Amino acid sequence: MLKSLSIKNYALIDTLEVSFSEGFTTITGETGAGKSILLGGLSLVLGKRADLSSLMDKETKCIIEAEFFINGYHLSDFFGKNDLDYADTTIIRREILPSGKSRAFVNDTPVTLDVLSALGGRLVDIHSQHQTLRLTENDFQLRVIDALADNAGYLETYSKKLSTFKTAKKELEALQELQQTADKEHDYHSFLLQELEAAPLNPGIQKTLEEEQGQLSNAESIIESLSQGSQLLKNEQLGLVEQLAELKRIFNNLANYGDAYKTLHQRLESVLIELQDVSSEIEGLEELVDMNPNRLEEVNGQLQTLYNLQKKHQVASIEELMAIKDGLAQKVEEVANIDSKIAAKNSEVKELEANLEREADTIREHRNSVIPKLKSFLLQNLAELGMPSASFKIDIKPSEHFKPNGKDELTFLFSANRGSDFGELKKVASGGELSRIMLTIKSVLATYEQLPTMIFDEIDTGVSGEISNKMGDIMQQMGETMQVFSITHLPQVASKGSSQFKVYKRESDGKTHTQIKQLTEDERVVELAEMLGGKSISDSALAHAKQLLKV
């Protein structure tokens, strides 16, 4: 419920602060006093777009703040989804800067206008002429029927199953689409895969082959260099090994003459061992080097295959080719098994569809069961609202397609007078008739749903007397289970509120300002008397006002 509203620098409002209570509250005031301004300010804090024309003082920012008690509105998931701090008492603030920019906050956390609008729609339902047109939409009409039918749980189950069904159907369509293109691509993918499978694709293979190619291509030169090196090392008289061995023998005799000579002898011994090892390795390499033109041709062929594949697939490494091969293998396998996959998915879709159909049938049965109750309720209340000849023709039939709220086609026809043809509400009902029908339907929803705060903006326009009295009764009854506001020009409706506020204008500093105040019991009597008879209040008007207030 709306606990308080604070408005600064908006339209004709300089500063305004007002607190509200639960139940049914009426708001009155002369035409042009600013009731629409008050409603406009509240609309801004609920997510309506704003512009600079909203500012009273163009050099100062406009601030609108509303405090709500939201326990029981089941909004914790909404707050969590939008990274907002949940609190039973929630404060929404909207700021409009002189630059034209707008900022919004929920419990001091900045939010986008879309989030603010979504939250506002779950906190306050402002009923205007535009909102009355929703009455003519099938989705809204079904919502009313579902409220009476207590279909909320069935609709939630249906919605989950519909989502699962749609997902499975999309997967089936994707498989079928893949099958259509599979025949064209399968042969090509298989050919590419065979090419890659025939190639020597192993990590490091390209580097190994390139090294082997270099050795085979230069075998004669390698052998010649190794042979020369071996000769330099092992020549009996001039070889490095023999000369180093002689040098070691010379210093062997000196090793006994001090540590310096001993260390030098040890170093020569280490060098000799290393040189002998190098000589042995050169001999081993000489034996391994093979002048093999056949192997060279084979290596060249393998490398050329790898180079061609890299160029063809526009990659630069063996690892990338291996990844492409794995991807092609997966595609070829998918196509090979696609028929069985389609059959399995098709069976799954049919089973899900059958389950969904059963849920839709249950929802339809419940809807049909409460249509007589809804018609009776509407006719009874509309008769009391001055429409004794109103009648409805409401039919529900299975639809060909699953919809978000079931699988039904709804026919909701109306006739205001006996003997008149039935027609769609938007075509045959007048604005006043639509307002009365909407009020009656809202009273149904208030009984069966947890509705947000509801504000009726002059829903009683065009009616008077006993009809206005009955409309006031309906809103008063709604106020027993929820917070209801009625902006009204009718004293019969205004008197029904458990509290009454008056919107008025005052002038100061050469400017006109809109204000609102809660009326005391005596002030309500005067206000109602003025609504009944004008500024010149008669004794009969005062008596009538007291009678309306039962004081």
Side-chain angles (χ1 to χ4, degrees):
M1 59 168 280
L2 177 62
K3 294 179 66 177
S4 65
L5 180 66
S6 169
I7 301 177
K8 295 180 180 179
N9 193 38
Y10 174 73
L12 295 180
I13 298 174
D14 181 16
T15 300
L16 180 152
E17 293 185 5
V18 60
S19 298
F20 300 107
S21 59
E22 55 190 3
F24 180 40
T25 298
T26 57
I27 299 175
T28 59
E30 295 180 2
T31 301
K35 296 187 292 296
S36 60
I37 294 175
L38 183 69
L39 200 57
L42 179 60
S43 296
L44 285 177
V45 88
L46 296 174
K48 181 184 175 183
R49 297 194 175 276
D51 54 52
L52 280 176
S53 63
S54 304
L55 275 61
M56 183 179 191
D57 179 353
K58 306 300 180 185
E59 303 300 319
T60 307
K61 69 180 178 181
C62 164
I63 302 176
I64 303 174
E65 190 170 280
E67 183 180 5
F68 292 90
F69 182 69
I70 62 174
N71 185 22
Y73 280 44
H74 309 294
L75 288 173
S76 55
D77 288 345
F78 178 92
F79 275 66
K81 181 180 178 182
N82 292 283
D83 295 323
L84 298 173
D85 294 328
Y86 176 84
D88 285 345
T89 298
T90 285
I91 297 175
I92 301 177
R93 186 171 80 255
R94 183 84 179 274
E95 298 179 358
I96 303 164
L97 307 180
S99 63
K101 291 184 178 179
S102 169
R103 300 185 300 185
F105 304 85
V106 175
N107 293 331
D108 286 328
T109 300
V111 296
T112 64
L113 202 57
D114 287 341
V115 171
L116 183 64
S117 180
L119 177 59
R122 297 178 68 169
L123 296 177
V124 179
D125 180 359
I126 298 178
H127 178 91
S128 60
Q129 186 63 33
H130 171 73
Q131 210 251 12
T132 298
L133 295 177
R134 286 197 60 210
L135 177 60
T136 66
E137 299 170 359
N138 272 179
D139 284 349
F140 182 81
Q141 294 162 354
L142 282 172
R143 176 187 160 193
V144 178
I145 295 171
D146 286 329
L148 266 73
D150 195 21
N151 265 341
Y154 296 103
L155 285 168
E156 184 178 355
T157 301
Y158 170 87
S159 180
K160 291 177 181 177
K161 290 188 176 182
L162 179 61
S163 177
T164 304
F165 169 71
K166 285 183 175 180
T167 299
K169 197 171 182 182
K170 283 182 180 178
E171 291 171 351
L172 175 61
E173 290 169 354
L175 286 171
Q176 291 170 334
E177 208 172 293
L178 177 63
Q179 187 183 45
Q180 290 176 359
T181 58
D183 292 339
K184 298 177 184 177
E185 297 180 348
H186 181 64
D187 291 343
Y188 180 57
H189 287 160
S190 297
F191 171 73
L192 293 177
L193 179 61
Q194 288 170 7
E195 274 189 329
L196 291 169
E197 288 178 336
L201 299 184
N202 296 306
I205 187 65
Q206 185 170 333
K207 182 180 178 182
T208 301
L209 289 172
E210 286 173 341
E211 288 178 355
E212 187 178 0
Q213 182 195 49
Q215 293 173 12
L216 289 169
S217 298
N218 300 280
E220 186 175 347
S221 175
I222 292 171
I223 290 173
E224 184 179 347
S225 296
L226 290 172
S227 178
Q228 289 175 352
S230 183
Q231 286 295 319
L232 284 170
L233 289 168
K234 298 187 68 176
N235 186 282
E236 290 183 3
Q237 294 182 357
L238 301 174
L240 293 176
V241 173
E242 183 59 33
Q243 291 187 52
L244 190 58
E246 180 62 24
L247 185 61
K248 174 182 172 270
R249 283 193 292 272
I250 293 171
F251 276 87
N252 187 41
N253 296 328
L254 297 175
N256 296 322
Y257 300 135
D259 289 341
Y261 299 108
K262 184 177 180 180
T263 299
L264 192 58
H265 174 264
Q266 290 172 342
R267 290 172 65 189
L268 286 170
E269 186 175 23
S270 296
V271 172
L272 178 60
I273 292 171
E274 178 66 20
L275 199 58
Q276 288 171 335
D277 186 59
V278 169
S279 177
S280 297
E281 190 166 340
I282 289 174
E283 287 181 356
L285 289 172
E286 279 187 278
E287 294 176 2
L288 290 175
V289 176
D290 186 12
M291 296 179 64
N292 188 341
N294 292 331
R295 176 58 184 163
L296 177 60
E297 184 178 355
E298 182 181 346
V299 169
N300 284 335
Q302 289 179 329
L303 280 173
Q304 192 59 51
T305 296
L306 295 178
Y307 296 150
N308 289 342
L309 287 172
Q310 288 172 2
K311 183 178 180 181
K312 183 173 187 175
H313 293 281
Q314 298 181 334
V315 297
S317 69
I318 295 296
E319 287 72 20
E320 289 174 296
L321 283 177
M322 292 172 67
I324 291 172
K325 184 184 78 170
D326 292 341
L328 287 169
Q330 184 177 352
K331 288 180 180 179
V332 169
E333 183 183 0
E334 285 178 353
V335 172
N337 299 327
I338 195 158
D339 288 340
S340 60
K341 287 183 178 180
I342 287 176
K345 184 59 67 173
N346 191 46
S347 176
E348 179 187 349
V349 167
K350 286 184 177 180
E351 184 177 351
L352 289 171
E353 185 176 15
N355 290 334
L356 191 59
E357 194 77 57
R358 283 192 289 271
E359 289 295 332
D361 289 344
T362 300
I363 292 169
R364 186 180 309 113
E365 288 172 8
H366 286 208
R367 286 171 173 171
N368 278 316
S369 69
V370 298
I371 286 177
K373 180 180 178 181
L374 174 61
K375 288 169 67 175
S376 175
F377 187 91
L378 290 173
L379 296 179
Q380 180 182 343
N381 280 272
L382 289 176
E384 295 177 5
L385 291 175
M387 298 170 64
S389 300
S391 56
F392 292 88
K393 186 180 288 186
I394 306 174
D395 292 313
I396 292 176
K397 295 180 180 178
S399 170
E400 293 183 2
H401 307 287
F402 291 110
K403 301 178 181 181
N405 59 355
K407 194 183 179 185
D408 294 331
E409 294 290 347
L410 173 65
T411 303
F412 199 104
L413 303 179
F414 171 72
S415 173
N417 304 294
R418 284 190 180 88
S420 297
D421 292 335
F422 284 93
E424 296 179 19
L425 279 170
K426 61 184 175 183
K427 294 181 179 179
V428 301
S430 67
E433 289 168 341
L434 281 176
S435 292
R436 282 177 271 181
I437 296 171
M438 179 58 104
L439 177 60
T440 301
I441 283 179
K442 287 287 188 180
S443 70
V444 175
L445 289 176
T447 303
Y448 293 93
E449 284 189 359
Q450 176 67 51
L451 291 181
T453 293
M454 189 167 295
I455 300 175
F456 291 105
D457 183 16
E458 299 186 359
I459 193 172
D460 47 23
T461 298
V463 299
S464 59
E466 186 54 34
I467 296 174
S468 62
N469 193 53
K470 178 58 182 175
M471 293 183 80
D473 286 339
I474 291 175
M475 287 184 274
Q476 187 180 46
Q477 289 167 8
M478 292 173 65
E480 293 175 2
T481 57
M482 61 182 294
Q483 187 183 41
V484 180
F485 291 87
S486 176
I487 298 174
T488 180
H489 286 291
L490 299 180
Q492 293 88 345
V493 174
S495 66
K496 303 288 184 181
S498 55
S499 59
Q500 182 176 344
F501 289 80
K502 180 177 181 178
V503 178
Y504 62 97
K505 288 181 180 178
R506 64 175 178 81
E507 292 186 4
S508 64
D509 302 326
K511 292 183 179 180
T512 301
H513 300 272
T514 289
Q515 285 291 316
I516 185 172
K517 68 174 182 177
Q518 184 172 1
L519 301 179
T520 64
E521 187 174 287
D522 289 341
E523 288 172 333
R524 289 188 73 179
V525 172
V526 174
E527 174 71 5
L528 291 178
E530 287 185 359
M531 293 173 72
L532 287 164
K535 291 292 184 181
S536 300
I537 302 175
S538 64
D539 291 340
S540 62
L542 284 171
H544 191 184
K546 290 179 180 179
Q547 185 181 10
L548 288 174
L549 287 171
K550 298 178 182 178
V551 295

